[in-house]
């Protein structure tokens, strides 16, 4: 009899304790919610304060960079430009006028543009000299023929050391992923990406060798490289002609009229704006390609995870079926 009486009492205690626990949980939740609601304005104010600090710091860095750039420009204009003209440019012009004839200079510049990229040497000075000496006609021919050979030779040499280059690129996975973007897609996609690489700040001397580790085909690489080098060739020729004009004016060999001064200034502004526009476009196009590649890789990962989950579900169902059939056996 005592057991029968005690059991209902225990059940009543548990039944009474459950509402108390629920009430306690609800009160705790209300306290937590009110505490979070009270802390939300503090977090918002802290985030706004951090944003204002970051904005002020960005403006400070931008103004400091502009001031430093202006200072260095003035220093270079005061002492650097005369030094370059007197010690570098004028001796080169005198050397090319006395030491070689124009046919020999044609060959020398062509060979330098073809061989410098093989040894990872910048070929910008040779392009400037081509513009100074030969102008837009022969200068453009020299630059395009020389740089085309200078892009093909590293590609062919890189094919012989493809495994070593692949191991070398593993140290820089981010750059390797960017290079891999150039080799994906159709013929036109490869052509377009290579042209973008040529007008972008990406070092093209390294690009010539490293591209061989991807699935890039030769003809898109060649024609994309030629298309990307055309704007750079005209910019180098123009800057070379402008440097020579300034040198002639500086040392009294030539006098510029007002129209010529205005023309040179306008053309200089157009050249700078064009260079910046090409660079910005190339960076934006590469960023879009990277974002597209990241989204595609994310979709592939989601698909793989979904397939893995479906596979686990199928295995689970098969296991249950197997257990059910084993229980059904006599």
């Amino acid at each position: 009899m005592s057991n029968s009486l005690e059991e209902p009492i225990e059940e009543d205690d548990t039944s009474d304790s459950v509402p108390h626990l629920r009430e306690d949980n609800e009160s705790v939740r209300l306290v937590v919610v009110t505490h979070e609601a009270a802390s939300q304005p503090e977090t918002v104010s802290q985030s706004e304060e951090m944003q204002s600090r970051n904005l002020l710091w960005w403006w400070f860095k931008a103004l400091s960079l502009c001031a430093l750039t202006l200072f260095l420009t003035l220093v270079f204009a005061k002492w650097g430009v005369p030094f370059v003209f007197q010690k570098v440019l004028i001796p080169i012009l005198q050397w090319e006028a006395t030491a070689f004839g124009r046919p020999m200079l044609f060959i020398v510049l062509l060979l330098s543009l073809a061989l410098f990229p093989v040894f990872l040497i910048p070929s910008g000075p040779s392009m400037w000299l081509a513009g100074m000496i030969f102008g837009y006609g022969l200068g453009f021919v020299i630059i395009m023929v020389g740089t085309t050979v200078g892009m093909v030779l590293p590609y062919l040499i890189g094919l012989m050391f493809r495994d070593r280059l692949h191991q070398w690129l593993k140290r820089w996975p981010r750059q390797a992923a960017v290079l891999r973007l150039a080799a994906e897609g159709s013929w036109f996609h490869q052509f377009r990406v290579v042209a973008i690489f040529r007008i972008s700040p990406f070092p093209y001397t390294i690009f010539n060798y490293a591209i061989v580790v991807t699935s890039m085909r030769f003809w898109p690489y060649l024609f994309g490289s030629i298309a990307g080098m055309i704007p750079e060739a005209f910019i180098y020729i123009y800057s070379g002609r402008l440097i020579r004009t300034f040198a002639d004016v500086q040392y009294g060999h030539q006098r510029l009229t007002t129209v010529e001064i205005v023309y040179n200034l306008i053309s200089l502004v157009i050249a700078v704006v064009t260079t910046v526009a090409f660079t910005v476009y190339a960076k934006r196009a590469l960023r879009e390609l990277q974002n597209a590649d990241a989204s595609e890789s994310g979709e592939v990962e989601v698909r793989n995870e979904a397939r893995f989950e479906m596979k686990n579900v199928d295995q689970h169902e098969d296991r249950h079926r197997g257990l059910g059939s084993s229980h059904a056996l006599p």
Side-chain angles (χ1 to χ4, degrees), residues 98-294:
T98 58
F100 299 101
R102 292 176 69 87
M104 183 58 67
L105 284 173
F106 185 96
I107 297 173
V108 170
L109 291 176
L110 195 65
L111 290 176
S112 64
L113 290 172
L115 296 179
F116 280 1
V118 177
F119 301 100
L120 303 181
I121 300 174
S123 55
S126 298
M127 296 184 191
W128 274 321
L129 286 175
M132 290 179 189
I133 299 168
F134 294 98
Y136 287 97
L138 285 176
F140 180 77
V141 174
I142 292 171
I143 290 174
M144 293 308 299
V145 173
T147 54
T148 300
V149 177
M151 291 181 291
V152 172
L153 286 178
Y155 183 89
L156 298 177
I157 295 172
L159 290 176
M160 296 186 290
F161 302 96
R162 190 171 184 176
D163 295 334
R164 292 184 181 180
L165 289 172
H166 183 70
Q167 297 296 327
W168 180 71
L169 279 177
K170 287 183 178 179
R171 302 177 184 177
W172 295 276
R174 186 176 180 181
Q175 286 77 6
V178 174
L179 288 174
R180 185 172 55 83
L181 293 174
E184 295 179 351
S186 61
W187 192 97
F188 180 75
H189 175 79
Q190 293 181 359
F191 166 84
R192 175 176 174 268
V193 175
V194 171
I196 291 172
F197 269 108
R198 292 300 179 189
I199 62 177
S200 68
F202 195 90
Y204 67 89
T205 53
I206 299 175
F207 176 79
N208 296 333
Y209 283 104
I211 197 65
V212 298
V213 302
T214 65
S215 58
M216 170 66 65
R217 287 169 285 184
F218 176 75
W219 294 113
Y221 166 79
L222 177 62
F223 290 112
S225 299
I226 294 173
M229 283 299 300
I230 291 175
E232 187 175 0
F234 278 111
I235 291 172
Y236 270 106
I237 293 171
Y238 168 75
S239 58
R241 300 296 295 176
L242 190 63
I243 291 172
R244 179 156 191 167
T245 301
F246 287 160
D248 292 336
V249 172
Q250 179 73 23
Y251 292 95
H253 299 293
Q254 181 181 355
R255 291 184 179 180
L256 294 179
T257 62
T258 305
V259 177
E260 290 176 340
I261 293 173
V262 173
Y263 169 77
N264 287 321
L265 290 175
I266 293 174
S267 58
L268 177 61
V269 172
I270 293 173
V272 172
V273 171
T274 303
T275 304
V276 173
F278 274 121
T279 304
V280 171
Y281 169 75
K283 287 184 177 180
R284 185 178 299 174
L286 288 176
R287 194 179 300 114
E288 291 176 356
L289 290 172
Q290 291 175 357
N291 294 334
D293 181 72

